[in-house]
Amino acid sequence: MTTTISPLIAGNWKMNGTRASLDELTALAGMLTTGEAPRALVVICPPATILAAVARQGASAGIQAGGQDCHPAASGAHTGDLAAGMLADAGAQYVIVGHSERRANHAETDDLVRLKAEAAIGAGLKPIICVGETEAQRDSGQAETIVAGQLAGSIPDAASQHEVIVAYEPVWAIGTGRTPTNDDIAKMHASIRHKLVERFGDKGATVRILYGGSLKPQNAREILQVENVNGGLVGGASLLAKDFYTIISAV
Ligand code: PGA
């Protein structure tokens, strides 16, 4: 079945950015509004401290905002955490959940990631649910099995009714400058698509599957045209407006 899925390019600023970084946003907005109209939806997930500013300033250029994580609860005694509803209140429309840095640094399990995705949906956000294997898992031939397990555990049943986005990010490709071959990306994305359709039927055929991990101006064009790659989740290369714009334009 061929389904047309409009591509989405999301920038994950991680723990980078202060109010001074809003200059990059202004620069990106300028490029997006003066150049050829982008063929992709554009999302920036900045640190929470400047989320509201990004949402406000990006809007006129069609740039949407997202959080980088949320707590599964709607409110309560969770010092330092942010509820999905708070991100929505700050102007977010998306939230990344289950990024491998959170899975590794904060011991987040598939169950917790699923609860976060449910909370996001409950708050009217679109969760960007991250999955991906480590290098050792790939080397031992387990990559597809690991990712299938993460998909099964991290995507809530509510995805049959609400929009969710999946981001395939091989852990060993994040921030390393290394990427899988296009064939490997195609194989993994086909396998993810198969799992989504198996579980969610026609709805699974419409879920965006983003590729993430060292996506750069130099490799964006070829990676973004791989079958079942419906956009990208970009870390380092999203921090500079010029680089991020080049990636957006590669769609
Ligand atoms: P990278 O990060 O583009 O810097 O590899 C991607 C991500 O972690 O989302």
Side-chain angles (χ1 to χ4, degrees), residues 144 181-192 226-227:
E144 286 184 28
T181 64
N182 291 346
D183 277 357
D184 286 340
I185 295 175
K187 249 180 97 191
M188 182 60 86
H189 278 240
S191 155
I192 293 172
V226 171
E227 176 109 35

Side-chain angles (χ1 to χ4, degrees), residues 95-245:
V95 61
I96 298 169
V97 293
H99 189 282
S100 64
E101 285 152 16
R102 296 213 53 96
R103 288 179 186 262
N105 302 344
H106 299 269
E108 294 196 1
T109 60
D110 289 331
D111 281 344
L112 179 60
V113 174
R114 191 182 66 253
L115 293 174
K116 289 181 175 203
E118 278 168 5
I121 290 170
L125 300 177
K126 295 161 194 141
I128 301 174
I129 304 168
C130 301
V131 297
E133 81 285 358
T134 63
E135 184 156 35
Q137 289 164 337
R138 173 156 288 267
D139 288 347
S140 60
Q142 292 173 277
E144 286 184 28
T145 315
I146 293 292
V147 167
Q150 291 172 334
L151 293 169
S154 308
I155 303 182
D157 289 337
S160 61
Q161 310 287 335
H162 298 269
E163 182 175 346
V164 304
I165 295 159
V166 170
Y168 167 59
E169 299 202 297
V171 178
W172 51 274
I174 294 176
T176 59
R178 297 164 56 208
T179 53
T181 64
N182 291 346
D183 277 357
D184 286 340
I185 295 175
K187 249 180 97 191
M188 182 60 86
H189 278 240
S191 155
I192 293 172
R193 177 68 67 209
H194 180 77
K195 293 286 169 212
L196 290 170
V197 170
E198 201 173 63
R199 181 163 165 202
F200 299 109
D202 286 353
K203 179 85 179 168
T206 67
V207 171
R208 285 193 189 88
I209 309 173
L210 311 183
Y211 169 79
S214 295
L215 199 56
K216 298 198 176 331
Q218 298 83 331
N219 60 21
R221 194 167 292 275
E222 55 168 324
I223 291 178
L224 292 172
Q225 69 185 15
V226 171
E227 176 109 35
N228 283 307
V229 172
N230 312 119
L233 181 55
V234 188
S238 71
L239 296 172
L240 286 178
K242 196 166 131 296
D243 288 351
F244 195 46
Y245 179 72

Side-chain angles (χ1 to χ4, degrees), residues 42-57:
V42 179
V43 179
I44 290 185
C45 303
T49 46
I50 51 171
L51 175 61
V54 166
R56 197 169 49 240
Q57 286 189 31

